[in-house]
């Protein structure tokens, strides 16, 4: 009888120890889970800050690049040269404006504006085009107007030396290179003018040149698009692994439940 009571006591003590061990293990697991959750929360917070920062930097750059690309494509077809908010960058292809400070290969910043703003002394970029049926203002009549198809002609950058008007009140410009002895052979109809030269600082011009260069396109267009694409790939990868971990956890919980049922 005493032996049976002793066995029962030992069994009760063992059960108590097992229960105590389970409680301790549960507390340890809970502590580990809490620590893991804290780490995950901290990691998620840092990731959120990085995402917001990248969005603030990349999205405006991407939108500007998108607008810039669309604008240059459209204006190339409609105006004849790529423009961004009525501004264009042309390359001086001859030495006719050396006296004005424009060497061969120099860049000139051009603004497209109303023809009424162009006057003697202004530097303008224009299409070197002459309509054979309407060469000057005196040939303009009610039925004879200058041909508008000048977008594929050579671009010239010269100074206005005289302004004339036709019977419709449209301007025609006599031009000349500052380094040339004689004026240009033709008079330029106002619709053939691309824009007027805008004086810019050397640093601004260098920046514009850089933006239009291959390196500029890579930095301001390709790089932001690449970073956005890379980040999206990371997000998809995280989602994939989260789904995989969730399935693994469900499987472990199912196996654990089966083991507990077997123990019972």
């Amino acid at each position: 009888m005493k032996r049976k009571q002793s066995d029962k006591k030992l069994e009760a003590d063992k059960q108590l120890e097992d229960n105590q061990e389970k409680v301790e293990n549960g507390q340890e697991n809970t502590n580990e889970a809490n620590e893991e959750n804290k780490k995950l929360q901290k990691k998620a917070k840092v990731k959120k800050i990085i995402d917001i920062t990248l969005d603030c930097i990349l999205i405006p750059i991407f939108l500007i690049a998108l607008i810039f690309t669309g604008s240059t494509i459209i204006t190339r077809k409609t105006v004849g040269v790529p423009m961004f908010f009525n501004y264009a960058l042309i390359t001086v292809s001859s030495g006719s404006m050396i006296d004005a400070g424009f060497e061969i290969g120099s860049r000139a910043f051009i603004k497209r504006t109303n023809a009424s703003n162009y006057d003697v002394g202004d530097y303008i970029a224009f299409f070197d085009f002459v309509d054979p049926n309407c060469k000057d203002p005196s040939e303009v009549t009610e039925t004879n107007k200058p041909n508008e198809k000048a977008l594929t002609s050579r671009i010239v950058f010269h100074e206005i030396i005289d302004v004339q008007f036709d019977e419709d009140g449209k301007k025609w410009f006599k031009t000349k290179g500052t380094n040339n002895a004689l004026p240009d052979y033709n008079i330029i109809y106002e619709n053939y003018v691309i824009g007027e030269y805008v004086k810019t600082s050397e640093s601004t011009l260098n920046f514009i040149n850089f933006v239009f260069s291959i390196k500029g396109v890579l930095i301001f267009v390709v790089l932001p698009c690449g970073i956005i694409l890379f980040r999206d790939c990371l997000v998809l990868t995280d989602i994939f692994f989260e789904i995989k971990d969730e399935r693994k956890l469900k499987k472990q919980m199912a196996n654990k439940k089966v083991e507990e049922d077997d123990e019972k």
Side-chain angles (χ1 to χ4, degrees):
M1 183 72 178
K2 289 182 179 180
R3 186 175 181 181
K4 286 182 180 180
Q5 289 176 350
S6 178
D7 290 341
K8 286 181 179 181
K9 185 178 180 183
L10 290 173
E11 187 177 347
D13 291 341
K14 186 178 180 182
Q15 184 67 36
L16 184 62
E17 289 177 1
D18 290 342
N19 291 338
Q20 185 66 28
E21 186 177 350
K22 287 180 180 180
V23 171
E24 291 175 355
N25 289 336
Q27 289 177 345
E28 289 178 1
N29 292 334
T30 302
N31 292 334
E32 289 177 1
N34 290 335
E35 289 295 327
E36 188 68 24
N37 287 334
K38 287 180 181 179
K39 289 180 181 179
L40 290 173
Q41 288 175 359
K42 186 176 181 180
K43 185 178 178 181
K45 188 175 181 180
V46 172
K47 185 180 177 182
K48 187 176 181 180
I49 292 172
I50 293 173
D51 287 342
I52 293 173
T53 304
L54 286 175
D55 286 341
C56 291
I57 296 173
L58 295 177
I59 290 178
I61 293 176
F62 178 74
L63 290 176
I64 291 172
L66 190 64
I67 295 170
F68 174 80
T69 303
S71 175
T72 53
I73 291 173
I74 293 171
T75 53
R76 181 183 285 275
K77 289 185 175 294
T78 57
V79 181
V81 292
M83 306 190 87
F84 186 60
F85 289 108
N86 287 327
Y87 286 92
L89 199 64
I90 65 165
T91 302
V92 178
S93 57
S94 71
S96 61
M97 294 290 284
I98 290 178
D99 289 350
F102 298 97
E103 302 284 343
I104 298 175
S106 298
R107 295 276 192 154
F109 203 40
I110 301 299
K111 181 181 180 181
R112 186 175 180 82
T113 184
N114 194 288
S116 61
N117 296 323
Y118 306 142
D119 208 343
V120 174
D122 292 338
Y123 300 153
I124 59 172
F126 55 89
F127 294 108
D128 189 19
F129 178 79
V130 177
D131 185 349
N133 298 318
C134 193
K135 297 179 181 179
D136 59 60
S138 63
E139 296 182 3
V140 176
T141 64
E142 189 174 341
T143 57
N144 188 37
K145 309 291 182 184
N147 192 327
E148 301 294 337
K149 297 179 180 179
L151 303 184
T152 58
S153 302
R154 182 174 69 105
I155 295 176
V156 177
F157 179 64
H158 279 175
E159 180 185 10
I160 298 174
I161 60 172
D162 186 33
V163 179
Q164 300 178 21
F165 295 86
D166 60 28
E167 66 172 25
D168 292 333
K170 298 287 188 179
K171 281 186 173 183
W172 293 68
F173 303 102
K174 192 69 178 175
T175 56
K176 174 181 174 294
T178 57
N179 205 49
N180 294 344
L182 299 173
D184 298 331
Y185 67 94
N186 57 327
I187 302 178
I188 304 301
Y189 182 50
E190 66 174 41
N191 288 359
Y192 301 159
V193 178
I194 299 169
E196 177 187 6
Y197 169 68
V198 178
K199 191 173 182 180
T200 54
S201 65
E202 190 68 25
S203 57
T204 302
L205 196 58
N206 289 337
F207 175 75
I208 295 170
N209 281 328
F210 177 74
V211 170
F212 277 86
S213 68
I214 296 176
K215 289 183 179 179
V217 172
L218 289 174
I219 291 175
F220 292 105
V221 179
V222 178
L223 182 61
C225 292
I227 293 174
I228 291 172
L229 183 62
F230 177 72
R231 193 182 63 175
D232 289 341
C233 289
L234 289 179
V235 171
L236 291 175
T237 304
D238 288 341
I239 292 173
F240 171 77
F241 281 110
E242 283 177 5
I243 294 173
K244 188 176 180 181
D245 292 340
E246 187 177 349
R247 289 178 177 176
K248 185 177 179 181
L249 182 61
K250 286 181 179 180
K251 188 176 180 180
Q252 289 176 350
M253 291 178 67
N255 292 335
K256 187 176 181 181
K257 187 176 181 181
V258 171
E259 290 176 359
E260 290 177 351
D261 292 341
D262 290 342
E263 289 179 358
K264 292 179 181 178

